[in-house]
Structures are given as structure tokens and as C-alpha cells.
Amino acid sequence: MPQFDLLTIGSQVFGLLVFLYFLYLLNIQIAIPSLIEIQKFRVKKLVKNQEKIVHIKNYLNDNLRFTYNFYQIFLK
């Protein structure tokens, strides 16, 4: 089996190291910055949605209070 031949192990290790080096560079320069951009976009979206949820919750609580007070006045 050629992959276990002692004469070719040096070239196989060298080829593997070259391949892994280029894979490392590819990940550092392209993949990781892309993932960071996606994470920043998602965090912005989550913060924006959280602010909307808080605003809607406050609006609904105010509306409930107003309705309750209106019915209290109506029933008197």
C-alpha cells in the first residue's frame, strides 16, 4: 500500500502540510470574517426586535389600563 511506504511518507506529509496551510489561510481570510458579519447582522436584528417587543408590550399594558378605567367609569 503506497500510503504506508516509508520512502513516500516525507512527500505525503509535506503535501498535507501545504494543503492544511492553504486551508488555514482560506478560513482566516474568507470564512471567519463572513461568519462575523452574519453574527453582527443577527445581533442587530435581535436588538431591534427586542425593542419592538418592549414597545408593543408597553402599548398593550397602557391600552389594557385605559380599557379597565373606561369600564370602571362606565359601570358607575
Side-chain angles (χ1 to χ4, degrees), residues 8-70:
T8 60
I9 193 131
S11 63
Q12 289 177 2
V13 169
F14 177 75
L16 180 65
L17 290 177
V18 168
F19 173 76
L20 291 176
Y21 175 73
F22 284 117
L23 186 64
Y24 172 77
L25 287 179
L26 179 75
N27 282 329
I28 291 296
Q29 293 178 355
I30 296 173
I32 293 176
S34 298
L35 293 174
I36 290 172
E37 289 296 321
I38 291 170
Q39 181 192 19
K40 286 180 182 178
F41 176 74
R42 288 181 177 176
V43 167
K44 281 183 184 178
K45 197 172 179 181
L46 286 172
V47 168
K48 184 178 175 183
N49 287 339
Q50 180 67 24
E51 290 172 357
K52 283 183 181 180
I53 289 171
V54 169
H55 177 70
I56 290 171
K57 180 181 175 186
N58 291 337
Y59 174 76
L60 290 175
N61 284 337
D62 290 343
N63 192 14
L64 181 65
R65 239 182 272 121
F66 175 74
T67 305
Y68 179 75
N69 288 336
F70 177 76

